[in-house]
Amino acid sequence: MFTQSLADLQESCLLRKLHRTESAQDAEVTIKGKAVILFSSNNYLGLANHPKLKEAAITAIRKYGFGSGASRLLSGTMSLHEQLETRLAHFAKTDAALAFNSGYHANLGLIQTLTQELSPHGLVLADRACHASLIDAIRITKSRFKVYQHQNTKQLKQLLATHTESEKTSSLVITEGIFSMDGDITPLPKLLTCIEQSSSTLLVDDAHGIGVMGATGRGTIEHFNLEAKIPIRTGTLGKALGCVGAFVAGPHDLIQILINRARSFIYTTAPPPAFAAAALAALTILEAEPERREQLWRNQHYMLSNLKSLGYNTMNTESPILPVLIGDPSRTIQFSQQLYERGIYAPAIRPPTVPRGTSRLRISMMATHQQAQLDYALDTFRDVGRSLGIIT
Ligand SMILES: *Cc1c(COP(=O)(O)O)cnc(C)c1O
């Protein structure tokens, strides 16, 4: 029935497949019996397999069982959920926070609610490179929606000015803290100036910034010291924090309205209490072991500077996400496959995840990568890149 679609995907080198990992999430994993060094995980700080996080989850399961049994508004809100939300608000330096089953759910619920409540006739503007969960969320609101070119605050400013003049309604502007496929940091201070001039609302999805950016790992907003000025954000617990689930942090009333309106919060089973226990442990580790973040950044600098010296185009990354631009999907896959044969897992990222002509390898750095693993990876990148004629 789907043979033609699948054949078309195969033909254009866009067919995707699942890769089964058979070991715990670490810097080296076993994929279908083969040991590979992992460069594709968002487990930036190595917390996914941290003993304290595992212990916290096991203890919670012993005490509370596994399932939550119901949605949050029925009987699924357990004391651990509340403890986590209090802790997240403290972490984000906001009045309140609300946990969601995933970042995808958080974005759906938040954007649906914000457009309904703030600007039912307003315009939604998003950076062109925004994550699919943000784009899907905007689409289901049926709001008027425009994208601006990636990181183009000048264009954003123009769009906001034209809109505010003609319609006198405020807009919602959506960006990521760290862009998930490019690795670049959003110039939040500049964006904030645009927003303030047009009295619009800014939403920052900091999925890749939480745990990674800022002096204490509170994210991109901390990186720019803008915590008092950017009141609304989403963050995931599934990436640097090594858990699953996500949160919205913001003013008290926003959180209350989300509890009442956000469909992706209301109409789903509450995440298990052990998830909250693990996330609480992750937040504690984040505070107690800053050396993890320091090591992550040392690894990032080492890998990035050496990839650049080899002659690779790493775009404008300033984060542990290192894109290696190739362009064409078939060469990108070839590159990724040859790395894989040599024990390096760095996935090929192709359209529709990234724009046409910008297929790339995407290397994710972790604090737990060992120096020898980085050196082996760089040697392999040099050899494979030369043999494919990507570098000289
Ligand atoms: C990963 C990601 C999400 C989704 O978060 P999950 O918790 O994995 O569902 C949302 N937004 C951005 C920018 C992401 O990178």
Side-chain angles (χ1 to χ4, degrees), residues 17 34 38 62 64 81 84 114 117 125 138 169 183 197 203 224 228 241 262 298 300 319 358:
K17 291 191 186 131
K34 182 181 164 74
L38 192 62
R62 290 224 170 88
Y64 297 105
H81 293 103
L84 174 63
L114 284 178
E117 296 294 321
L125 288 158
I138 300 165
T169 54
Q197 282 167 356
L203 159 59
F224 288 112
L241 291 173
R298 274 197 296 278
Q300 190 269 4
S319 72
T358 69

Side-chain angles (χ1 to χ4, degrees), residues 261-341:
R261 293 257 199 270
R263 297 169 66 85
S264 64
F265 174 81
I266 299 170
Y267 298 107
T268 190
T269 299
F275 125 93
L280 281 160
L283 290 165
T284 302
I285 302 166
L286 197 64
E287 268 172 34
E289 301 179 15
E291 60 273 17
R292 286 181 174 265
R293 203 169 43 260
E294 288 156 18
Q295 186 61 48
L296 170 68
W297 282 105
R298 274 197 296 278
N299 289 351
Q300 190 269 4
H301 290 305
Y302 186 76
M303 197 72 175
L304 179 60
S305 59
N306 280 290
L307 285 168
K308 280 184 178 165
S309 318
L310 286 172
Y312 285 112
N313 179 350
T314 50
M315 305 174 68
N316 295 317
T317 182
E318 291 182 86
S319 72
I321 299 166
L322 311 181
V324 172
L325 188 71
I326 311 293
D328 162 66
S330 75
R331 284 181 90 209
T332 312
I333 290 184
Q334 222 182 351
F335 196 171
S336 177
Q337 274 169 354
Q338 294 199 13
L339 290 170
Y340 189 79
E341 281 155 22

Side-chain angles (χ1 to χ4, degrees), residues 102-170:
S102 73
Y104 197 104
H105 285 81
N107 285 334
L108 286 194
L110 177 61
I111 291 171
Q112 172 225 329
T113 306
L114 284 178
T115 52
Q116 243 170 44
E117 296 294 321
L118 285 181
S119 56
H121 307 292
L123 178 67
V124 181
L125 288 158
D127 187 292
R128 178 164 186 241
C130 273
H131 190 260
S133 61
L134 295 165
I135 305 297
D136 291 359
I138 300 165
R139 283 194 183 135
I140 60 172
T141 67
K142 302 196 177 78
S143 296
R144 274 190 307 141
F145 168 41
K146 282 194 177 140
V147 292
Y148 57 93
Q149 293 304 308
H150 182 49
Q151 306 284 36
N152 191 336
T153 42
K154 218 168 135 190
Q155 190 195 1
L156 172 64
K157 206 168 168 175
Q158 280 165 358
L159 286 168
L160 281 169
T162 329
H163 175 76
T164 325
E165 243 168 57
S166 63
E167 321 236 349
K168 310 253 178 296
T169 54
S170 64

Side-chain angles (χ1 to χ4, degrees), residues 102-104 107 131 133 176 180 205 207-208 236 239 245-246:
S102 73
Y104 197 104
N107 285 334
H131 190 260
S133 61
E176 295 181 19
S180 58
D205 176 352
H208 291 274
T236 172
K239 288 172 177 157

